[in-house]
Amino acid sequence: MKRILSAPLIVLAMAAAHASSEPTEKDAIAMVEKGAAFIKQHGKDKFIEKVAAKDPEFIQGALYVDIRDLQSGIVLAHPVNPTIVGKDLTDVPDASGKKYRREIIELAAKKGKGWVDYMYKNPTNGKIEPKTTYIMRVGDAVLEAGIYKK
C-alpha cells in the first residue's frame, strides 16, 4: 500500500518543485529594481552593456530585463532578441493586435512604474503566450521584466 501512495506523492512534489521554479511577479519586480539600482550606481551605458552581454544577473531563463528609450521607444538592449535593438517598435502590435509597447511608454511617462499585459514569444518554448511585464522609468529610460502567465 505504501508504494502505491508514494508514487502520486512524488509526482505532486515534482510538480510543486517545477511550479516554484517559474518566475513570479515578485521576481520581475526585483529584477527591474536591481537594474534601476545598477543604473543609479554605474550609469545607463554600463547597464546596457550588461544586458547586451546576457549577464546572468539580468537574465534567468524566461525572466530577463530589457531597456528602451522613454522618448523614442527605441530598444537600447535586449538579452533574448538582440535583433530588435536600435529599433522603434512602439506601434508594432502583439499577436492579438495590442500596441503594448506604446502602453509601456505611456505608463512609464505618466506613473513611473506598473504592469502591462500582452502576448509574446516565450524564449524557453518558442510559443506565443500571455505575458505580464513590470516596467519602471529610470531617468530617460524604461526597464522591463516580465513573466509568462500559466
Side-chain angles (χ1 to χ4, degrees):
M1 184 72 166
K2 285 185 181 177
R3 288 181 194 222
I4 294 171
L5 289 176
S6 64
L9 291 175
I10 290 170
V11 171
L12 285 173
M14 288 172 59
H18 176 71
S20 67
S21 68
E22 294 292 321
T24 66
E25 289 182 356
K26 286 183 181 180
D27 296 328
I29 293 169
M31 187 168 281
V32 166
E33 288 177 345
K34 186 190 307 184
F38 185 92
I39 289 172
K40 288 175 184 167
Q41 186 173 5
H42 303 285
K44 182 174 72 175
D45 291 340
K46 291 282 186 200
F47 180 71
I48 290 170
E49 289 174 17
K50 282 239 186 218
V51 171
K54 299 183 182 192
D55 188 294
E57 216 178 340
F58 299 110
I59 180 171
Q60 297 160 4
L63 180 65
Y64 56 87
V65 65
D66 62 86
I67 180 172
R68 80 177 62 245
D69 182 80
L70 178 67
Q71 300 304 316
S72 69
I74 291 174
V75 179
L76 301 174
H78 198 291
V80 174
N81 190 0
T83 62
I84 65 172
V85 173
K87 296 180 180 174
D88 176 6
L89 304 172
T90 304
D91 291 317
V92 175
D94 71 358
S96 69
K98 182 176 183 178
K99 293 181 180 179
Y100 70 93
R101 294 174 182 103
R102 168 119 355 247
E103 188 175 326
I104 287 171
I105 292 168
E106 289 172 358
L107 180 61
K110 290 177 185 170
K111 295 188 178 179
K113 60 184 173 182
W115 291 93
V116 175
D117 296 331
Y118 55 97
M119 302 295 288
Y120 203 75
K121 185 176 179 180
N122 186 328
T124 61
N125 64 23
K127 296 179 182 175
I128 303 292
E129 297 180 343
K131 185 173 184 177
T132 187
T133 292
Y134 183 73
I135 64 99
M136 178 186 288
R137 179 181 181 172
V138 180
D140 62 353
V142 183
L143 303 187
E144 309 167 17
I147 59 170
Y148 292 88
K149 297 178 178 183
K150 300 295 174 194

